[in-house]
Amino acid sequence: MEPQKLDEIRERFSHDRFATVNGAYIEEVAEGYAKCTMQITEDHKNALGAVMGGAIFTLADFTFAVAANWLENSVVSLNASITFLGKAKGKILIAEAKKIRLGRTTCYYIVEITDELGSQVAHMTSNGFAV
């Protein structure tokens, strides 16, 4: 993808304030796909020193939204389910959303969350509805 087009997509999704203020960043997009990252800071950690589940979910949900909407679609979440698999050991969370099914009004995506060391952090599934 051309860098200019990716910058336009980043600008559009910069209005998703909660995710972007918390560090979600769009790395790649393709049809039915998005890859986003989040630098882990002390603000993302819970009392035990691990990345807070809400930060992981925010990145996963944002990545789903980018994958489902970057082509100017209007898809909202119907349902999302996340399973936390392990602790992030690195300094960067990486989420990749992949379209599994696209129907007339609904879609289904899987989002895998890892860190830059390859540690499995979480797995999310999300259904969307085209409005």
Side-chain angles (χ1 to χ4, degrees):
M1 170 169 290
E2 297 174 21
Q4 181 181 1
K5 180 64 175 172
L6 189 55
D7 287 342
E8 290 172 14
I9 293 165
R10 288 178 180 138
E11 172 59 28
R12 179 171 165 223
F13 284 94
S14 71
H15 300 286
D16 195 337
R17 300 297 303 146
F18 188 80
T20 57
V21 165
N22 282 287
Y25 183 76
I26 302 168
E27 299 285 351
E28 295 176 40
V29 293
E31 196 279 316
Y33 172 83
K35 178 179 180 180
C36 299
T37 58
M38 180 183 286
Q39 295 279 335
I40 299 169
T41 70
E42 290 302 312
D43 292 336
H44 295 109
K45 295 185 178 179
N46 62 22
L48 299 175
V51 179
M52 186 126 208
I56 297 166
F57 184 85
T58 295
L59 178 62
D61 187 54
F62 179 73
T63 306
F64 159 73
V66 172
N69 288 292
W70 76 269
L71 286 170
E72 305 294 332
N73 299 328
S74 294
V75 174
V76 296
S77 290
L78 284 173
N79 181 39
S81 177
I82 192 165
T83 300
F84 298 102
L85 302 171
K87 184 177 178 179
K89 297 177 181 133
K91 297 179 191 238
I92 302 169
L93 289 176
I94 302 164
E96 291 186 84
K98 296 175 187 161
K99 177 178 64 183
I100 302 302
R101 171 121 167 67
L102 179 62
R104 191 172 43 82
T105 57
T106 62
C107 60
Y108 184 78
Y109 281 74
I110 291 176
V111 184
E112 299 288 342
I113 304 91
T114 60
D115 64 18
E116 82 279 14
L117 303 175
S119 306
Q120 289 185 326
V121 177
H123 175 99
M124 184 179 92
T125 57
S126 189
N127 288 74
F129 178 74
V131 293

